[in-house]
Amino acid sequence: MLAAFACAHPVQAGDVAAAASNKPTVVVIGTGGTIAGAGKSSTDTSTYATATVGVDKIVQAVPELAAVANVRSEQVFQVGSKSINDDLIIKLAKRVNEVLKRDDVAGVVVTHGTDTLEETAYFLNLTVKTTKPIVFAASMRPSTALSADGPLNLFDAVVTASSAEAAGKGVLITMNDEIHTARDIVKTNTFKTDTFRSPYGPLGYVVEGKVLFYRNTARRHTRDSEFDIETIDRLPRVDIAYSYSSSDAAAYNAFAAAGTKAIVNAGTGNGNVSDSLVEPLVAIRSRGVFVVRASRTGSGTLYRGPSFKDDDKRGWIAVDDQTAPKARLLMALGLTKTQDVDALRALFTRY
């Protein structure tokens, strides 16, 4: 029957070329992660090896992509995202930037692990100067698992990267039918497929191959950012210290001794600093190390209450609503531009 159908409806080479030319070209860049993972059993949803399947095979496993775009793929590196470092995110950002300069490329999809996706995506959101869509796709389950979420997340990412409506919205993430902005998204659960959340909600959804946007991002990103990946080859060291009851200055002093340029304090509640840490942090700041106040809660703006009244005198910086990992990246980028504390403070309300 199939042979008869083929004879009755011959497809000419010109028809194929015309169909291909009418579809946008999307480049899928692989970096590893669970979406590139495999388990021994189909019921292994949490026990598996990450970063074992090449991006070309990931793309081939979703033939429906061919109906959406002309998809090319390339592997930039292959690691579990728990092992991502500054050198790798710079390498990725530079490659994405190069690919998007091509006139024939409409957008880029990055396959990535979920552990540090929010950091990598945010870095690209701040440094890749383009209006073309950059969309991250990931999964919480390996491709070998029952009800694997990777294939649909990848399909939704390619649909979004192919959409003219996604242009100019900065770096996006498609997970669990939702479209999120890299600025806001946070991983909130160790195993659930709806782990990624934004405190202000998703920008939109992908429903059966259709992109639906309901809001835009408000802060600077990509094309309008003052940071340019073409001028960045390395980042200054910035560390994060987590505050807890009975915490002391040991970690802060160790980071300072190791040569850090700034310490982000993931403080309790409203980015609070315990009484016992005030003098040690003042001393660390006097040694030229910047102190940045963030919150360990995971969301919420830092309201400038009484505990912030001496920040200017101490030379401390407070974030707006950035999580500690994102504050680390923004601070590191800021330090590539300036050492002025007021200019650095302004970054957190600008981005």
Side-chain angles (χ1 to χ4, degrees):
M1 177 178 276
L2 289 176
F5 183 82
C7 291
H9 302 278
V11 177
Q12 302 297 323
D15 296 334
V16 173
S21 65
N22 289 332
K23 291 184 292 186
T25 294
V26 173
V27 178
V28 179
I29 296 179
T31 69
T34 296
I35 197 170
K40 294 181 180 180
S41 167
S42 61
T43 59
D44 290 340
T45 60
S46 298
T47 305
Y48 51 85
T50 63
T52 59
V53 182
V55 69
D56 55 339
K57 292 183 178 179
I58 295 172
V59 169
Q60 290 167 13
V62 189
E64 294 83 358
L65 295 175
V68 177
N70 300 314
V71 177
R72 305 174 192 164
S73 61
E74 62 177 76
Q75 196 84 44
V76 174
F77 47 81
Q78 180 79 308
V79 298
S81 73
K82 62 184 181 294
S83 299
I84 291 284
N85 57 36
D86 290 348
D87 290 339
L88 288 177
I89 64 172
I90 290 171
K91 179 179 181 179
L92 173 63
K94 286 183 178 293
R95 183 57 187 153
V96 169
N97 188 60
E98 291 170 357
V99 169
L100 288 175
K101 285 184 176 181
R102 301 178 190 166
D103 292 337
D104 63 326
V105 174
V108 161
V109 169
V110 178
T111 60
H112 197 285
T114 60
D115 280 2
T116 55
L117 181 150
E118 63 201 73
E119 294 167 69
T120 303
Y122 185 58
F123 182 80
L124 268 63
N125 195 57
L126 294 171
T127 60
V128 180
K129 299 180 79 65
T130 185
T131 59
K132 294 180 179 179
I134 303 170
V135 187
F136 277 66
S139 71
M140 290 298 291
R141 298 171 180 168
S143 59
T144 51
L146 291 172
S147 300
D149 54 328
L152 184 57
N153 288 340
L154 176 60
F155 179 79
D156 288 349
V158 172
V159 168
T160 304
S162 303
S163 170
E165 295 178 56
K169 287 184 168 60
V171 176
L172 304 171
I173 297 92
T174 56
M175 291 281 290
N176 205 44
D177 303 324
E178 298 177 337
I179 306 171
H180 291 265
T181 169
R183 183 193 183 275
D184 298 340
I185 200 167
V186 177
K187 184 175 182 179
T188 65
N189 190 277
T190 60
F191 72 95
K192 294 177 68 176
T193 56
D194 64 349
T195 180
F196 282 100
R197 304 289 181 89
S198 299
Y200 313 112
L203 298 184
Y205 304 92
V206 183
V207 182
E208 295 187 357
K210 183 175 178 61
V211 174
L212 303 170
F213 281 106
Y214 295 94
R215 68 181 183 92
N216 287 317
T217 54
R219 299 294 180 89
R220 287 192 194 180
H221 57 75
T222 52
R223 184 186 63 179
D224 296 324
S225 173
E226 63 206 83
F227 308 111
D228 187 345
I229 192 58
E230 292 189 358
T231 67
I232 299 168
D233 295 315
R234 64 186 303 274
L235 292 176
R237 177 169 180 166
V238 176
D239 290 293
I240 300 170
Y242 193 90
S243 185
Y244 52 93
S245 61
S246 299
S247 59
D248 60 23
Y252 303 86
N253 288 329
F255 284 137
T260 194
K261 302 303 180 185
I263 298 173
V264 178
N265 178 55
T268 56
N270 184 41
N272 294 317
V273 176
S274 68
D275 294 343
S276 63
L277 282 175
V278 170
E279 287 190 14
L281 291 183
V282 168
I284 286 171
R285 179 68 191 100
S286 70
R287 292 157 60 183
V289 178
F290 288 97
V291 174
V292 181
R293 299 175 64 161
S295 174
R296 71 179 195 179
T297 61
S299 66
T301 185
L302 299 195
Y303 53 92
R304 306 310 196 259
S307 66
F308 289 75
K309 63 182 176 63
D310 293 324
D311 278 15
D312 287 348
K313 179 177 66 177
R314 293 167 179 162
W316 294 357
I317 296 168
V319 306
D320 178 17
D321 64 345
Q322 292 86 358
T323 61
K326 290 180 179 178
R328 184 191 78 85
L329 289 168
L330 183 54
M331 188 66 184
L333 286 168
L335 290 172
T336 67
K337 292 278 191 179
T338 183
Q339 296 285 314
D340 182 79
V341 68
D342 290 326
L344 291 166
R345 285 190 182 112
L347 293 176
F348 290 94
T349 54
R350 192 180 304 148
Y351 292 95

